[in-house]
Amino acid sequence: PGPVSEHGPAKIIAMCNQKGGVGKTTSTINLGAALAEYGRRVLLVDFDPQGALSVGLGVNPMELDLTVYNLLMERGLAPDEVLLKTAVAGMDLLPSNIDLSAAEVQLVSEVARESTLQRALGPMLNDYDFIVIDCQPSLGLLTVNALTAAHKVIVPLECEFFALRGVALLTETIEKVQERLNPELELDGILATMYDSRTVHSREVLARVVEAFDDNVYHTVIGRTVRFPETTVAGEPITTYASNSVGAAAYRQLAREVLARCHAE
Ligand code: ADP
Ligand code: MG
């Protein structure tokens, strides 16, 4: 992909699957870092009260005074007061911590509660080319906020039996949000993760995913490797931690596919 001379308005991507441990956070960090390597300005939004995205970028969530929670709940707070720079040039972070779990309850009584995140991100759209939202493992109000704010959804799917279980519920939720809240929302793609080419099992699951979702499956497949858990401990993306690794190459390939699907190469 070529460099870009002008930035924004941002395409917003929700990284979403209500199942935990499928690679949402890992994919958010590494897709973001790969897009930044290609010269795109990237904002990553930690939208899980667990704060794993923040931890994965070397931030201690417990020490934060202001997080995405404050941006949602306090009108008039400037994004700059919450934004953090990351070690990756061109990539910023809206961090989160356990405070965000209160938002799920507090938002229920708000007017237009589903579009709170969309309103909070509004002032930042022109500063970035991509905003990637790392969703929590549920289909509750926070995730509905992410889907309402997003243009596109990426669904990471672990290459395990039963991976497809629950996808129908996710697809239904995406369709409801499309109908009622965000007609622009599109499924960008299904991302097969934790693929182990040595097992027949992984290959069978991948074949079933492709059969079920066809063109919606990215050509990029993320292999299973211990390198990813290592990057979490290191607090940096695989693209810098192990720049020449297979895992880094895979996320760069995913970034090129995402750019192509957005017609932004
Ligand atoms: P989620 O955000 O969906 O819960 P994570 O990205 O946190 O999933 O991944 C869950 C765990 O699996 C983490 O410990 C992460 O380091 C590890 N992991 C993620 N992707 C891979 C992979 N391709 N191979 C091996 N381990 C992975
Ligand atoms: Mg996560």
Side-chain angles (χ1 to χ4, degrees):
V4 285
S5 53
E6 282 178 20
H7 295 283
K11 280 273 178 223
I12 305 180
I13 299 173
M15 195 68 73
C16 191
N17 187 331
Q18 75 274 27
K19 195 164 179 287
V22 298
K24 290 182 291 296
T25 301
T26 303
S27 297
T28 302
I29 292 177
N30 295 301
L31 171 63
L35 287 168
E37 270 190 4
Y38 286 128
R40 270 59 182 185
R41 289 207 185 134
V42 177
L43 173 65
L44 301 185
V45 181
D46 192 347
F47 218 47
D48 182 347
Q50 297 291 323
L53 177 70
S54 305
V55 171
L57 288 165
V59 172
N60 180 354
M62 307 294 277
E63 288 173 357
L64 299 167
D65 288 330
L66 294 175
T67 66
V68 68
Y69 167 77
N70 302 87
L71 210 56
L72 290 179
M73 305 310 290
E74 295 166 28
R75 273 193 290 158
L77 185 68
D80 281 354
E81 296 184 62
V82 185
L83 281 176
L84 299 176
K85 295 247 171 276
T86 72
V88 177
M91 186 164 92
D92 296 342
L93 168 68
L94 261 182
S96 114
N97 62 20
I98 197 70
D99 290 352
L100 185 62
S101 58
E104 186 103 46
V105 179
Q106 288 168 359
L107 282 176
V108 169
S109 58
E110 288 277 316
V111 176
R113 59 192 174 190
E114 294 91 353
S115 47
T116 309
L117 178 62
Q118 183 178 48
R119 284 193 300 282
L121 294 178
M124 289 174 263
L125 284 184
N126 287 327
D127 297 334
Y128 298 99
D129 299 306
F130 286 93
I131 298 178
V132 189
I133 308 168
D134 184 24
C135 293
Q136 69 173 158
S138 95
L139 294 173
L141 187 50
L142 287 177
T143 297
V144 169
N145 262 266
L147 293 173
T148 303
H151 302 105
K152 302 189 168 248
V153 192
I154 296 178
V155 178
L157 214 57
E158 193 186 4
C159 291
E160 281 292 331
F161 273 126
F162 307 125
L164 288 168
R165 251 193 208 178
V167 174
L169 192 61
L170 175 55
T171 315
E172 234 170 74
T173 305
I174 292 171
E175 282 167 5
K176 276 189 198 159
V177 172
Q178 280 167 334
E179 280 166 27
R180 301 177 193 174
L181 296 160
N182 181 9
E184 278 185 55
L185 182 66
E186 283 180 310
L187 175 66
D188 197 60
I190 309 271
L191 176 65
T193 63
M194 315 221 189
Y195 179 73
D196 189 343
S197 59
R198 294 166 306 181
T199 66
V200 176
H201 170 77
S202 243
R203 290 201 298 272
E204 276 176 10
V205 173
L206 183 58
R208 281 185 54 202
V209 170
V210 171
E211 197 181 281
F213 294 99
D214 209 17
D215 284 349
N216 281 324
V217 184
Y218 294 106
H219 297 296
T220 304
V221 172
I222 310 296
R224 185 183 287 277
T225 155
V226 69
R227 286 275 145 129
F228 287 107
E230 282 174 21
T231 62
T232 309
V233 178
E236 58 177 303
I238 198 163
T239 49
T240 57
Y241 176 79
S243 182
N244 297 319
S245 63
V246 173
Y251 277 103
R252 289 187 190 109
Q253 185 190 344
L254 177 66
R256 293 193 298 274
E257 279 197 72
V258 168
L259 286 168
R261 288 186 183 205
C262 290
H263 308 290
E265 306 101 293

Coordinates of all heavy atoms in Angstrom, one line a residue, residues 24-25 48 52 134-135 137, ligand 2:
K24 N -9.5 -11.4 19.7 CA -10.0 -10.0 19.5 C -8.9 -9.0 19.8 O -8.6 -8.1 19.0 CB -11.3 -9.7 20.3 CG -12.5 -10.4 19.9 CD -13.7 -10.0 20.7 CE -13.6 -10.4 22.1 NZ -13.7 -11.9 22.3
T25 N -8.4 -9.1 21.1 CA -7.5 -8.1 21.5 C -6.2 -8.2 20.8 O -5.6 -7.2 20.3 CB -7.3 -8.3 23.1 OG1 -8.5 -8.2 23.7 CG2 -6.3 -7.3 23.6
D48 N -13.3 -2.9 26.6 CA -13.5 -4.1 27.5 C -13.0 -3.7 28.9 O -11.8 -3.3 29.0 CB -12.7 -5.3 27.0 CG -12.9 -6.5 27.8 OD1 -13.4 -6.5 28.9 OD2 -12.4 -7.6 27.3
A52 N -7.5 -5.5 28.7 CA -6.4 -6.3 28.1 C -5.7 -5.6 27.0 O -4.5 -5.8 26.8 CB -7.0 -7.6 27.6
D134 N -11.8 -2.6 20.3 CA -11.7 -4.0 20.9 C -12.9 -4.2 21.8 O -12.9 -3.7 22.9 CB -10.3 -4.1 21.6 CG -10.1 -5.5 22.2 OD1 -10.6 -6.4 21.6 OD2 -9.3 -5.6 23.2
C135 N -13.8 -5.1 21.4 CA -15.0 -5.3 22.1 C -14.8 -6.3 23.3 O -14.0 -7.1 23.2 CB -16.1 -5.8 21.2 SG -16.7 -4.6 20.0
P137 N -16.2 -9.6 25.5 CA -16.8 -10.8 25.1 C -18.3 -10.9 25.6 O -18.6 -11.7 26.5 CB -16.0 -11.9 25.8 CG -15.3 -11.2 26.9 CD -15.2 -9.8 26.6
Ligands
MG2 MG -10.0 -9.3 24.6

